[in-house]
Structure formats: structure tokens, C-alpha cells
Amino acid sequence: MPAAASAKRGGGGMSDRRRYRIRLEISREAARLFWEQGVEATSGDQIAEAVGLSTRTIWRHFRSKESCAEPIVMSGVEHELAMLRSWPADVPLEDHFAAESVRSGKEIDPVEAADILLAMKMIRLADSEPAIRTAWLMACDQVEREMAEIIARRLGLPARHIDARLHAAAASAALRVISEDVGASLLEGADPAQFADASTRIAQAVRRVTGGAVGDAVA
């Protein structure tokens, strides 16, 4: 869910924007605790205390303590999704990603940078924590669904056309693998300069795994 969430009110009277912000703040604190002390050792009460809310409020927003990781995990791929949403028809994917990476690099704020680091940590933790792996794979599924719509529009296909869905499945898998690889390397102390071209790598991978069907400018 992008930061510019709708401000409409739900059945409980809370706006979608406020609900999103509360969920994200809970997710930040849960992710920090999961990384520092492990998922099993972290309780819902600890998450509630860290964020300054009641435990009852935590369960109002999340079905389990492990699901608290989902908003932060999703933030790990939201940047690439935002670039795909804004991809102009007359620009190749590599050129668009390169330009957007330069622009976003100048505009990123400390909170967003911290969220991206937390997302990397949760994606890495997913290797050993099945419940966090579920959150990561749920985020990847959401990416695949939205990517299928983006690709279908770009190729002039019906929304659920099999070709659009197959391209989206391949492209989202490429995004997942690269995200896992880059995140793991950075957390192990790799020089961030090595991955300055990460967005270009993703664009090239999308073109490769879709057999060149996705990546060119279109009329």
C-alpha cells in the first residue's frame, strides 16, 4: 500500500491513511524486536510496549505477531513497484529505472531509508523463520498481481491474459531473487557502491526472464 493511501474512512471510523500509519509503526517496532531477539522470543505484549499501544490494539490490526512484519516487508519492494507504475510507454525500462534511481536517491528521507534496511533484515530473517518467509512471499504475490496489471496495460492485453500473468510471474521472481541477494550482501557488510546499479540489474533481469517481451518502449 503506497504512502499516499486513500483518506476515506472505514467502518470503524478510522481513515485508511491513519490505519496504514499505525500498522506501519507497529511493523517497524515488531521488525526491530524480531531482528534483535528472534521471532519466538518476541511477544505481542513486547511489541505493544515498544510502540506505545495496548496489546489489544495490536491484535486489532494484525492477526498474529508474525504478520506484524508484513507492512515493513512490503516496503522492501514498494520502491520498484512505484517505478513500474510510473513507467512511460515511450521509454525503455532500463532508462526509466536509471533515471528514477537517481531522482529517488536525492529525495529519500531517513525514515524511508530505515524502513528499507528493516525490510532487508526481515527478508534475510525469512531464510530461517518460516512465519516471516510467509510474510515475504505474500508481499511477492502482491507484487506479481500488480505487475500483471501493469504488463497487461503496457502490452495492450486483457487484465488477466495468460501472457501477462506468465510475464508477471517471471518478473516478480526475478525481483525477489535480486532483492534477497542484494539485501543479504549488504547485511554481511558489502560496500553499498557495489549495488548502485541494482535498479538497472532488476530492469535487465525483467527483460531477460520475459524473453524480451517486457522492457522495450511501446507505441
Side-chain angles (χ1 to χ4, degrees), residues 72-85:
I72 276 295
V73 168
M74 188 63 203
S75 74
V77 290
E78 178 59 35
H79 178 63
E80 285 78 12
L81 267 180
M83 288 196 287
L84 283 166
R85 294 185 195 112

Side-chain angles (χ1 to χ4, degrees), residues 166-184:
L166 286 171
H167 292 325
S172 63
L175 174 58
R176 175 181 58 78
V177 170
I178 293 175
S179 295
E180 291 174 351
D181 181 67
V182 172

Side-chain angles (χ1 to χ4, degrees), residues 26-195:
I26 293 170
S27 190
R28 286 177 180 133
E29 296 303 329
R32 291 188 185 107
L33 289 168
F34 290 160
W35 183 254
E36 291 170 4
Q37 61 189 36
V39 176
E40 186 175 353
T42 301
S43 68
D45 290 341
Q46 288 177 314
I47 296 170
E49 182 178 358
V51 79
L53 296 171
S54 68
T55 305
R56 182 177 179 181
T57 300
I58 301 298
W59 303 140
R60 189 179 301 134
H61 288 279
F62 293 95
R63 65 189 179 278
S64 65
K65 68 177 183 182
E66 294 86 358
S67 68
C68 291
E70 290 169 10
I72 276 295
V73 168
M74 188 63 203
S75 74
V77 290
E78 178 59 35
H79 178 63
E80 285 78 12
L81 267 180
M83 288 196 287
L84 283 166
R85 294 185 195 112
S86 65
W87 182 16
D90 59 346
V91 178
L93 185 58
E94 291 86 351
D95 292 351
H96 175 60
F97 267 30
E100 286 297 294
S101 294
V102 172
R103 182 188 62 77
S104 63
K106 296 176 181 177
E107 297 177 359
I108 192 169
D109 61 58
V111 173
E112 185 180 357
D115 284 351
I116 291 172
L117 178 58
L118 275 174
M120 287 181 187
K121 290 178 176 179
M122 290 302 96
I123 293 168
R124 181 62 184 275
L125 192 60
D127 284 344
S128 57
E129 292 282 358
I132 304 300
R133 186 70 178 175
T134 297
W136 173 224
L137 294 178
M138 285 177 63
C140 292
D141 180 70
Q142 186 171 335
V143 169
E144 181 179 329
R145 290 170 184 270
E146 185 163 352
M147 198 175 286
E149 295 177 2
I150 292 169
I151 290 172
R153 286 196 300 270
R154 190 168 186 89
L155 300 182
L157 298 172
R160 289 188 57 77
H161 192 283
I162 187 63
D163 286 348
R165 293 171 62 193
L166 286 171
H167 292 325
S172 63
L175 174 58
R176 175 181 58 78
V177 170
I178 293 175
S179 295
E180 291 174 351
D181 181 67
V182 172
S185 297
L186 290 173
L187 291 173
E188 289 169 0
D191 183 354
Q194 291 181 235
F195 304 103

